[in-house]
Amino acid sequence: MSIAVSEKHEISLEIYKFFADYIYNHSGMTYLEKDYYRLETRLRSLVKLFELKSVNEVFDLYQGSVTPDMHAVLINISTNNETYFFRDIVPFKILTEYLIPNIQETKAVGTINVWSAAASTGQEIYSILMSLSEKYPDLLSKMTFEASDISCEALDKAKLGLYNGLDVQRGLPIAQLMKYFEQLSDENWQVKQEFTRKVNFFKFNLLKEEYPKAKYDIIYCRNVLIYQDMPNKQLIVNKLYASMKPGGYLVLGNGESFIGLETKLKRETFNNLTVYRREP
Amino acid sequence: MKVLIVDDSKAIFLMVSQMLEESGHTGVWAEDGQKAFEYLSGNNDIDVILLDWNMPNMNGPEFLEKNLTESFTETPVIMMTTENKPANIKKALSLGAVEYIMKPFTNDILNGKFELVDGLA
Ligand SMILES: C[S@@+](CC[C@H](N)C(=O)[O-])C[C@H]1O[C@@H](n2cnc3c(N)ncnc32)[C@H](O)[C@@H]1O
Ligand SMILES: [Mg+2]
């Protein structure tokens, strides 16, 4: 009889709770007790990363002083970065068929500022750029593009605009792959520099950081509020509102809404998709 | 949906038709471009064609070219191949392929590509 020596020790509730609380306090992402199992592989990946022997030792490490690197690593592993090109399709149609025309109607001059506020690995902001350059090529030079995320790992990839063969087949029509990407190797495709250079990428925590005032004409804040509890959602919605120009639009993820929240944003519906507008 | 899988590899046919079945579609096999023409001449039940590049007798581009010059079928053709050089992809598109799947791919990708083709979603 032999006993499996490599058997992993169960992670105690105390440890799960410690990390769940840490993540919640810093990013607002909630891991409830029933979701603790989703932290397991994430925490085990830290054992290897820090060259320790067990999650217990990782726990000990984080109970000491948490360096900026340790902090970033924990935030990176706790985020769900799932995204793909032209996610849900309509949010990108609405951009060229509804948002831009309406914004142009209410203001003749000035730049149009766009922000992808939970950009993950960049597919969203590049989909925005591709849509615009098909329909409004002349407008691009009069627009600014920003993309931010709490995860610096996701942002690094977004900045490079570097995707593998599977990434570039998720949601992306082949014609757009041909037009806006370069093949670096069998497995790697990169967004052309004319696009990567257009975007200002920066790390930004929607919950903690100070937002610019009345700056944005268009904000995409998709599939991130779902991870927040009501009080934090309310906080973020208020800040998003204040960061929008009068007449500006906010686009949420499909299935996300402001039900139960208070906001001065007005609902508008186009092609069955609800978007939110700050009154012009 | 009924899908004509044109590929000289039986393993690929089996794998893809399994994927299709998981999404409620059916796969029909043609071993090369020639066989695809034969099938399409005698049947009118195909919604979309998945076309390999390298095959004996008649390969993918040859199928596309013949289809184009003879205006044989308007059934949409999606390339499904390991061939992934931009020059080749562009060639297939100019010969009438409407979408392009590079192997390897997932079921997710396959369904996503169907959604991109007019009239299939
Ligand atoms: C599921 S992705 C959504 C990406 C893209 N917006 C989309 O809809 O496809 C969610 C992203 O939100 C980021 N995120 C989570 N909490 C955040 C916070 N407090 N501040 C900024 N970004 C956050 C995650 O790092 C992750 O990249
Ligand atoms: Mg072959």
Side-chain angles (χ1 to χ4, degrees), chain A residues 171-224:
Chain A
L172 185 67
I174 192 69
Q176 259 87 319
L177 179 67
M178 291 299 98
K179 214 162 156 188
Y180 302 110
F181 292 71
E182 266 162 301
Q183 189 181 39
L184 295 190
S185 67
D186 223 29
E187 255 302 288
N188 287 296
W189 298 79
Q190 186 165 35
V191 177
K192 287 190 178 159
Q193 276 196 5
E194 53 177 285
F195 275 5
T196 49
R197 272 202 306 245
K198 269 204 165 49
V199 186
N200 175 24
F201 291 97
F202 57 102
K203 193 162 165 268
F204 189 84
N205 183 341
L206 289 166
L207 203 56
K208 302 273 162 157
E209 264 151 292
E210 187 159 339
Y211 293 44
K213 292 269 171 285
K215 174 173 187 186
Y216 300 108
D217 296 278
I218 297 172
I219 300 177
Y220 277 63
C221 185
R222 309 192 66 223
N223 302 299
V224 61

Side-chain angles (χ1 to χ4, degrees), chain B residues 96-108:
Chain B
V98 294
E99 259 302 332
Y100 204 104
I101 298 172
M102 300 177 276
K103 296 169 182 166
F105 58 92
T106 60
N107 204 349
D108 205 39

Side-chain angles (χ1 to χ4, degrees), chain A residues 2-62:
Chain A
S2 69
I3 293 162
V5 282
S6 66
E7 197 181 326
K8 288 173 181 154
H9 289 284
E10 285 234 358
I11 300 174
S12 72
L13 276 183
E14 182 199 5
I15 294 181
Y16 276 129
K17 187 168 176 347
F18 170 83
F19 285 106
D21 286 350
Y22 186 98
I23 292 163
Y24 176 79
N25 289 333
H26 288 88
S27 73
M29 276 175 288
T30 36
Y31 283 91
L32 303 175
E33 196 170 323
K34 67 175 169 54
D35 302 323
Y36 281 176
Y37 72 95
R38 288 202 270 128
L39 278 176
E40 180 174 349
T41 33
R42 296 167 194 246
L43 291 177
R44 293 207 191 279
S45 73
L46 293 184
V47 177
K48 240 206 207 113
L49 190 76
F50 291 117
E51 299 181 343
L52 297 170
K53 288 195 191 67
S54 66
V55 175
N56 283 333
E57 291 187 13
V58 177
F59 179 50
D60 289 341
L61 184 69
Y62 275 85

Side-chain angles (χ1 to χ4, degrees), chain B residues 36-72:
Chain B
F37 271 110
E38 282 163 25
Y39 183 89
L40 293 163
S41 302
N43 302 272
N44 197 14
D45 58 352
I46 295 299
D47 298 289
V48 56
I49 299 165
L50 296 174
L51 183 66
D52 187 20
W53 190 287
N54 295 302
M55 293 177 288
N57 300 320
M58 184 191 290
N59 68 22
E62 285 162 355
F63 175 93
L64 288 172
E65 210 163 342
K66 185 168 151 76
N67 188 36
L68 199 64
T69 47
E70 296 179 10
S71 306
F72 182 72

